[in-house]
Amino acid sequence: MFFSGCNLACVFCQTYEISREGLGQEISSENLASIMLELSQKGCHNINLVSPSHQVYQILEGLELAWAKGLTLPVVYNTGSYDKVETLKALEGLIDIYLADFKLWSPELAAKYLGARDYPEVAKKAIKEMYRQVGDLVFDNHGLARRGLILRHLVMPGLLGETEKILVFLKEELSTDIYLNLMGHYHPAGQAHNFSEINRTLTKKEYEEALKIAKDLGFKNLDTTHRALLELLLPD
């Protein structure tokens, strides 16, 4: 479930029309609850709240209504990690899975590409709080995620130094047991064409180097589901 708007201003956003241009429609808490229940009835495995940070309390109203009517699916908080710790603490016990991005490490690059110089410090605190609440990812007997943290990092062209610093932080401050998804599907989107250094796709060599960094650091649960496809699509 995508929510219009975003508390970040990523120049390379791949859902730019939703996050920056307001694509979507206004709905009530009752409508939101009905959509969640409809998804459950259709056999969805979870309720995935995409970019919820700026509408948390409105979303909670809808969730409370849905729970009262029998919703039992795991709730996924799908975030860029630009979240106040106080907000996350208010969600403790209500969110089953945190699906969190750690985008950039350097304040200068965060200011340039995300519109938020303080992003790295905010994200570090937020991710540590999410991990404190739910811990490592737990699967059920069918292989479906039920509870825990999934950490995503989008590998960006020319910024492997950022990737390495983020992964070192995750190793030292969380655990090498976390479920780590290194995403290699970056392509110029949104306003990326205005920044020549990131106005290109990732290369196979860059993605392979990112995987090597993660493996060398000892990450045990490294999601490489799409690696074969990326090998075909990425340029050399």
Side-chain angles (χ1 to χ4, degrees):
M1 303 179 67
F2 285 83
F3 293 90
S4 298
C6 186
N7 61 355
L8 288 170
C10 303
V11 299
F12 51 85
C13 183
Q14 295 175 8
T15 55
Y16 190 85
E17 294 81 6
I18 298 172
S19 66
R20 301 293 299 279
E21 296 183 347
L23 179 65
Q25 59 185 11
E26 184 175 342
I27 61 173
S28 66
S29 299
E30 290 78 12
N31 289 148
L32 183 60
S34 295
I35 294 170
M36 294 176 182
L37 292 166
E38 182 181 352
L39 290 172
S40 178
Q41 292 163 3
K42 288 181 176 180
C44 289
H45 296 142
N46 56 60
I47 300 298
N48 189 340
L49 309 170
V50 184
S51 299
S53 303
H54 59 299
Q55 298 189 36
V56 168
Y57 294 103
Q58 293 88 339
I59 292 169
L60 283 179
E61 289 180 358
L63 276 170
E64 288 173 357
L65 291 170
W67 286 327
K69 293 183 179 181
L71 181 71
T72 59
L73 292 179
V75 177
V76 181
Y77 190 84
N78 189 334
T79 175
S81 300
Y82 196 51
D83 296 275
K84 289 184 177 180
V85 169
E86 294 81 0
T87 301
L88 296 172
K89 286 184 174 179
L91 294 173
E92 187 166 4
L94 305 177
I95 300 299
D96 300 286
I97 298 168
Y98 283 105
L99 181 54
D101 289 317
F102 199 151
K103 298 175 182 288
L104 292 167
W105 180 263
S106 306
E108 295 77 16
L109 292 177
K112 183 176 183 179
Y113 297 136
L114 311 182
R117 177 174 290 273
D118 63 343
Y119 172 82
E121 287 304 313
V122 171
K124 282 186 276 188
K125 293 174 183 177
I127 289 168
K128 289 173 70 173
E129 172 61 21
M130 292 183 231
Y131 188 64
R132 182 195 69 79
Q133 289 185 22
V134 297
D136 294 323
L137 195 62
V138 175
F139 298 89
D140 64 16
N141 294 332
H142 302 288
L144 299 175
R146 302 300 298 182
R147 179 178 174 83
L149 172 69
I150 301 173
L151 200 292
R152 298 177 304 195
H153 172 66
L154 179 63
V155 184
M156 294 184 60
L159 296 180
L160 283 174
E162 297 288 290
T163 297
E164 183 169 13
K165 290 173 183 175
I166 286 170
L167 296 186
V168 169
F169 164 81
L170 296 174
K171 175 182 179 177
E172 293 179 348
E173 299 292 334
L174 274 66
S175 167
T176 52
D177 290 326
I178 65 169
Y179 195 87
L180 177 63
N181 183 3
L182 283 182
M183 300 181 292
H185 64 273
Y186 175 87
H187 63 274
Q191 296 177 324
H193 61 276
N194 293 324
F195 301 83
S196 60
E197 68 278 13
I198 60 169
N199 190 28
R200 64 173 176 86
T201 59
L202 203 65
T203 65
K204 291 178 184 177
K205 183 178 180 180
E206 286 173 317
Y207 186 62
E208 289 296 330
E209 181 60 28
L211 292 177
K212 183 178 184 301
I213 292 169
K215 291 176 181 177
D216 288 348
L217 286 171
F219 285 96
K220 303 176 182 68
N221 299 306
L222 188 57
D223 184 356
T224 57
T225 305
H226 303 296
R227 183 175 180 180
L229 179 60
L230 288 170
E231 285 288 330
L232 294 174
L233 295 178
L234 294 179
D236 294 329

